[in-house]
Amino acid sequence: MKYGYYDDDAREYVITTPKTPRPWINYLGNEGFFGLISNTAGGYCFYRDARLRRITRYRYNNVPMDTGGRMYYIKDKDSVWSPAFLPCKTPLDRYRCRHGLGYTVFEGAKDQISASLCCFVPIGYDCEVNRLTLRNESSAARTLELFGVVEWCLWDAVDDSTNFQRNLNIGEVEIDECAIYHKTEYRERRDHYSFYGANITCGGFDTDRDAFLGSMGDWSMPLAVERGECAGSVAMGGHPIAARHFELRLAPGEENSVVFLTGYVQLPDKKKWERPGVINKAPAKELLTRFAGCAAVEAALKELGEYWTGLLGRLQIKSSEQRLDRTVNIWNQYQCMVTFNMSRSASYFESGIGRGMGFRDSCQDILGFVHLAPQRARQRILDIASVQLADGGAWHQYQPLTKLGNSNAGSGFNDDPLWLVVCTAAYLKETGDFKILEEAVPFDGGVEANTPLLEHLRRAVAYICGRLGPHGLPLIGRADWNDCLNLNCFSKEPGESFQTCANFESGVAESVFIAALYVKAAGEYAEILKRVGRGEQGEEVSASVYRMASAVLTHGWDGEWFLRAYDAYGKPVGSGMCDEGQIYIEPQGFCAIAGIGLHNGYARKALDSVKERLTTKYGTCLLDPCYTSYRLELGEISSYPPGMKENGSVFCHTNPWIGIGEALTGNPEEAYAVFSRVCPAFLEDISEIHETEPYVYCQTIAGKESPRFGQGKNSWLTGTAAWFFVFVSQYILGIRPGFDGLELTPCLPAEIKGYTATRKYRGCIYDIAVRNEQNGGYKLTLDGKPFNGKALPCEAGRTYKVVLTV
Ligand code: BGC
Ligand code: NOJ
């Protein structure tokens, strides 16, 4: 069952009912000011950091989940409705929500009044524009009372939802004819305020939530709306809001637009005040004036569209499979940008008050993002490197605002540093900008940037080599990629964090996954060293890579597949000898990626085992059989019910590793099957089972042992986005950046007869045409002439015509 449809020309997903299985959301903003927006206009805004600079409030675990956000009420005599359905819940005569790239439009209609609400964050400005256009479709003049409301968050979103004894006493606002200004804590240590204004004269306002809602009132029918009039309340403590009321008269056929703006202003100390006690509103007014006219709003929307056309234009394809095209051309790339921006901080599953930026997460996000905006990727790599510790390890998470490591998550996740190497290699392959390696970067958020990035990479690699266990495999530390495989945790305390408690220091538990990741990452590092004239050092690294690969082949092979780990007692995890959790997905895919066992058939055999043991109609599961009881020595993985999350769901992030493995071992049909089983565009028809947005990947799909088999969770912020993009673009389509230039090695199933593509890369444009004749050959012409090299030439400014028959 579907709840909408793709409009590929408009680059939109159009939702046709507010009653989707879950809120289906979109993201607004790209640099400083961000908004999450659901298909009923729920969600919230923040500036840079969803925890520390939350602008509007969000209610966790609410029913309906989506209460709050951008709240609009149209009172038309006795009927009151919201253009996006919520908060009123009045049934609409017409409803559509169009989620586009960086904007969302709601189209609602009731009793011959139509409303179109367009929400977006203009490029370069710290505000969200909501343009509401009302049209009288009847033949009689109509008078409407319009209310627009936002509820302020008292900045620190954790404090806001916990520390009421203080924060019910601190709320402060200012009000003038243009806007309501939220200035809580501005009088003391904050240098920022927010505001909510509109471009027409306001008939009335409220800034105190209790006054607006009335006693026992709720957002579905506030007292002020029922009454048709605000109370003019001025918040002092309590729950400050910004509610504005307008009266609109519309002649038959007449249309009128109101532009609402939620904005954020930050000022240097000297400019904070207009006069004592009165905030400096000039920057807010400037913003309000800038977007006061509909022409300016249109122009900003157009600019946003062009911005996305420019970004997505770095890779565009055309094949006979529309679902593949829309995934590659629009939605997968879009999701990669969102994960780059948010890491794992703010979604409808990540509260924005928990995790900030994940070290390994942000590194992996770069793999899917680097081609879109290499300069931003560059800066991010340097930011992440500065969260690395001097011993080569890394803080596991950091706050985007402060760029400092989160002490509550700590460090000691032994795979973390290697991802820095992997993403730097991806950046170099995309850009050829080896200068980045010389950039001086601090360790541990230090003020002094004094260590070249290349040295950061060296320490990352050395960190692993210095922490090997009894089998010569890397020690796992708190966990590796699988945050829930906590082999040194031994937690018996309810509520204790599986990742950060320190109950057991085995110094024994080893990870085959980290070994494979090491082979991949350190292999790339050795290549980098060769290219910067440090061949000798590169040789040493290559030797360590060889040793690690041998250790995997000797101690990490179980007979039919790769082992997952050794636990704190030195017992194998992910082995046929275990009673449960006999086979895990991660090492099977990653060994193939690292090239381990390609020569002796182990890699192939492991992938065949994955097919047999882990593959289901909804994707490839993480392990089999799932754990049915809690295993003290394994940790969080066994805390989940069978088939959920790390305990045997289809943990989507890992599926591309298998798909890449299939491609590398020359199995295009299975590679494509791995792709299309999980790719959301292929799951649109089972939205009632899948439940999450059909336009973005989710983190997990409940596995076969779960009664909810097929149900998606944790959509949007997942490494799945980047890895699927790498998989589909570099391995299925085969457009793969290498250190020496772009390579073309497609692995297409028979049903895809070929494709054309445009790829912008290092200042060149490649017009690519691939014909899939399935003849086992490889015939490539470059500008009409046969070409036998590996990497395509790349002279900045040139357009190359590449034709490949395989
Ligand atoms: C989740 C993991 C996640 C970890 C983060 C666990 O509860 O299952 O997917 O990586 O928390 O700390
Ligand atoms: C989600 C986390 O963000 C990521 O870092 C981790 O690798 C996966 N869960 C698997 O546990």
Side-chain angles (χ1 to χ4, degrees):
M1 184 174 156
K2 301 205 285 183
Y3 299 86
Y5 58 89
Y6 286 92
D7 180 344
D8 290 338
D9 290 339
R11 302 185 299 206
E12 289 173 349
Y13 193 82
V14 185
I15 302 166
T16 47
T17 167
K19 296 184 179 171
T20 43
R22 295 166 183 280
W24 283 0
I25 73 164
N26 192 13
Y27 284 82
L28 313 178
N30 250 336
E31 304 255 7
F33 192 103
F34 291 103
L36 277 65
I37 187 163
S38 72
N39 60 313
T40 50
Y44 58 91
C45 305
F46 61 93
Y47 178 74
R48 286 199 192 279
D49 195 312
R51 172 174 174 173
L52 300 177
R53 267 320 130 77
R54 186 76 65 94
I55 294 171
T56 52
R57 194 172 263 175
Y58 182 76
R59 245 169 279 283
Y60 309 96
N61 285 335
N62 211 342
V63 180
M65 198 170 148
D66 229 13
T67 310
R70 300 104 187 127
M71 293 175 280
Y72 293 98
Y73 304 86
I74 295 161
K75 182 171 163 66
D76 178 6
K77 297 212 179 76
D78 290 334
S79 109
V80 180
W81 54 282
S82 300
F85 183 68
L86 287 183
C88 270
K89 285 205 266 178
T90 306
L92 300 176
D93 299 339
R94 218 164 56 221
Y95 162 93
R96 285 207 311 179
C97 163
R98 290 163 29 211
H99 281 320
L101 306 179
Y103 69 88
T104 291
V105 178
F106 301 92
E107 293 165 356
K110 180 88 189 155
D111 301 332
Q112 296 186 300
I113 298 291
S114 70
S116 166
L117 173 65
C118 172
C119 308
F120 70 104
V121 172
I123 290 176
Y125 296 97
D126 292 329
C127 62
E128 180 183 316
V129 173
N130 289 182
R131 182 190 57 196
L132 178 62
T133 305
L134 295 176
R135 190 179 161 76
N136 179 357
E137 289 174 348
S138 73
S139 50
R142 307 278 283 269
T143 302
L144 308 170
E145 307 298 332
L146 167 65
F147 296 80
V149 192
V150 295
E151 181 177 5
W152 302 119
C153 177
L154 304 171
W155 300 117
D156 180 325
V158 175
D159 191 82
D160 181 71
S161 51
T162 47
N163 192 10
F164 308 115
Q165 62 80 26
R166 168 178 155 84
N167 66 33
L168 288 178
N169 299 286
I170 60 175
E172 283 190 279
V173 296
E174 280 184 36
I175 302 150
D176 72 10
E177 64 290 349
C178 308
I180 290 163
Y181 305 83
H182 175 227
K183 61 168 187 176
T184 298
E185 292 188 342
Y186 191 75
R187 59 159 70 231
E188 25 115 349
R189 293 158 297 172
R190 292 192 182 272
D191 60 359
H192 42 271
Y193 64 82
S194 53
F195 64 93
Y196 181 69
N199 65 342
I200 58 168
T201 318
C202 172
F205 65 86
D206 266 309
T207 63
D208 183 277
R209 193 180 78 189
D210 293 347
F212 183 73
L213 294 181
S215 162
M216 299 292 282
D218 67 43
W219 290 110
S220 68
M221 184 54 85
L223 177 67
V225 176
E226 205 178 347
R227 202 171 50 205
E229 194 173 38
C230 286
S233 58
V234 180
M236 173 46 66
H239 302 279
I241 61 167
R244 293 169 59 88
H245 167 215
F246 308 85
E247 190 183 270
L248 290 183
R249 286 163 205 264
L250 294 175
E254 193 186 347
E255 183 177 284
N256 203 345
S257 293
V258 187
V259 181
F260 293 87
L261 218 69
T262 306
Y264 172 87
V265 170
Q266 194 163 315
L267 284 166
D269 258 7
K270 280 199 191 114
K271 296 199 169 157
K272 272 177 70 170
W273 304 100
E274 188 182 300
R275 53 178 199 277
V278 177
I279 63 174
N280 174 359
K281 304 187 182 69
K285 294 201 169 167
E286 218 176 286
L287 269 176
L288 285 162
T289 314
R290 170 163 293 275
F291 295 107
C294 282
V297 172
E298 270 310 313
L301 262 174
K302 189 158 167 266
E303 193 188 343
L304 186 65
E306 285 162 0
Y307 166 80
W308 275 104
T309 304
L311 286 180
L312 301 180
R314 311 243 337 155
L315 176 66
Q316 286 291 297
I317 66 155
K318 185 147 184 44
S319 74
S320 52
E321 175 53 81
Q322 211 181 6
R323 293 172 297 184
L324 170 66
D325 294 3
R326 64 169 62 115
T327 298
V328 173
N329 294 339
I330 306 169
W331 293 99
N332 196 176
Q333 296 199 65
Y334 183 55
Q335 189 180 0
C336 284
M337 168 66 98
V338 171
T339 56
F340 174 83
N341 285 334
M342 300 289 138
S343 196
R344 304 296 169 269
S345 68
S347 74
Y348 268 33
F349 299 88
E350 301 284 4
S351 62
I353 53 178
R355 306 196 273 164
M357 315 286 282
F359 191 97
R360 76 160 81 87
D361 297 325
S362 288
C363 287
Q364 287 172 86
D365 291 345
I366 284 174
L367 308 181
F369 171 82
V370 61
H371 71 290
L372 285 175
Q375 277 307 314
R376 288 189 67 194
R378 187 182 207 273
Q379 187 52 51
R380 176 63 60 76
I381 290 170
L382 300 176
D383 286 350
I384 297 173
S386 73
V387 188
Q388 194 185 13
L389 300 165
D391 69 358
W395 286 109
H396 192 49
Q397 292 159 11
Y398 69 99
Q399 276 313 118
L401 196 69
T402 58
K403 295 185 185 166
L404 293 176
N406 286 343
S407 51
N408 54 357
S411 62
F413 296 76
N414 284 349
D415 65 315
D416 271 339
L418 290 175
W419 295 110
L420 178 64
V421 184
V422 172
C423 73
T424 306
Y427 172 79
L428 295 173
K429 289 177 183 176
E430 178 68 29
T431 62
D433 166 28
F434 280 77
K435 282 254 172 297
I436 191 177
L437 299 169
E438 294 160 28
E439 291 285 350
V441 186
F443 285 106
D444 193 10
V447 275
E448 213 187 332
N450 49 12
T451 314
L453 179 62
L454 188 63
E455 171 62 13
H456 281 256
L457 303 190
R458 190 193 67 74
R459 293 195 200 184
V461 167
Y463 179 87
I464 309 301
C465 294
R467 287 169 178 74
L468 300 181
H471 300 91
L473 297 165
L475 293 175
I476 197 167
R478 295 189 184 281
D480 61 18
W481 172 87
N482 191 328
D483 268 334
C484 299
L485 194 58
N486 315 119
L487 303 181
N488 298 308
C489 170
F490 289 74
S491 177
K492 287 185 177 162
E493 253 339 284
E496 185 172 61
S497 159
F498 287 99
Q499 281 90 33
T500 60
C501 67
N503 299 323
F504 204 85
E505 286 299 332
S506 73
V508 166
E510 297 166 291
S511 161
V512 176
F513 174 80
I514 302 185
L517 176 60
Y518 180 86
V519 171
K520 172 75 182 159
E524 306 259 49
Y525 174 58
E527 286 288 321
I528 293 171
L529 288 172
K530 264 190 244 162
R531 286 174 168 77
V532 296
R534 299 190 186 206
E536 221 169 283
Q537 204 184 328
E539 290 299 320
E540 277 169 36
V541 175
S542 298
S544 78
V545 166
Y546 181 81
R547 283 195 300 276
M548 189 71 85
S550 307
V552 173
L553 291 172
T554 316
H555 301 293
W557 181 248
D558 194 53
E560 301 287 325
W561 55 77
F562 291 100
L563 282 177
R564 178 60 176 85
Y566 286 97
D567 70 16
Y569 305 115
K571 286 211 308 246
V573 179
S575 157
M577 284 160 55
C578 306
D579 61 337
E580 292 177 333
Q582 294 173 335
I583 171 170
Y584 278 65
I585 197 171
E586 304 98 311
Q588 323 312 334
F590 230 87
C591 282
I593 291 177
I596 303 171
L598 287 178
H599 67 290
N600 66 358
Y602 280 12
R604 190 55 259 161
K605 205 169 194 178
L607 292 168
D608 288 341
S609 301
V610 166
K611 199 166 165 201
E612 197 191 312
R613 296 285 303 263
L614 299 178
T615 302
T616 73
K617 63 176 172 175
Y618 295 132
T620 318
C621 294
L622 192 141
L623 57 77
D624 183 73
C626 301
Y627 296 106
T628 50
S629 59
Y630 178 52
R631 313 279 173 127
L632 193 60
E633 73 286 7
L634 300 182
E636 186 171 359
I637 194 159
S638 59
S639 74
Y640 288 111
M644 304 308 275
K645 287 278 272 178
E646 279 84 346
N647 189 12
S649 76
V650 173
F651 211 96
C652 300
H653 186 137
T654 59
N655 279 219
W657 299 343
I658 298 303
I660 294 172
E662 292 292 353
L664 289 173
T665 51
N667 203 350
E669 300 303 327
E670 190 52 28
Y672 194 70
V674 170
F675 164 69
S676 53
R677 273 185 215 114
V678 171
C679 176
F682 288 72
L683 305 181
E684 194 192 3
D685 287 336
I686 55 151
S687 286
E688 81 285 10
I689 298 171
H690 190 54
E691 293 192 5
T692 51
E693 296 90 335
Y695 40 92
V696 288
Y697 286 98
C698 55
Q699 183 199 54
T700 65
I701 296 174
K704 59 184 188 312
E705 293 174 51
S706 158
R708 297 279 181 279
F709 186 31
Q711 180 190 57
K713 290 229 182 78
N714 301 9
S715 54
W716 281 101
L717 302 186
T718 157
T720 312
W723 274 105
F724 260 100
F725 185 72
V726 168
F727 171 33
V728 71
S729 66
Q730 299 187 23
Y731 291 86
I732 293 180
L733 301 171
I735 307 175
R736 197 179 311 163
F739 285 116
D740 304 315
L742 205 60
E743 298 162 18
L744 195 56
T745 44
C747 184
L748 297 171
E751 65 178 282
I752 307 287
K753 303 280 176 243
Y755 69 86
T756 55
T758 307
R759 175 69 155 94
K760 296 188 180 147
Y761 176 80
R762 298 193 193 177
C764 303
I765 299 174
Y766 296 87
D767 279 329
I768 299 169
V770 173
R771 293 191 205 117
N772 183 20
E773 294 182 357
Q774 299 257 301
N775 60 13
Y778 186 93
K779 215 173 108 225
L780 190 146
T781 63
L782 184 72
D783 292 334
K785 297 195 195 87
F787 179 81
N788 294 318
K790 194 171 175 217
L792 299 169
C794 180
E795 239 177 77
R798 284 205 42 189
T799 297
Y800 296 100
K801 213 171 163 34
V802 185
V803 179
L804 173 66
T805 311
V806 286

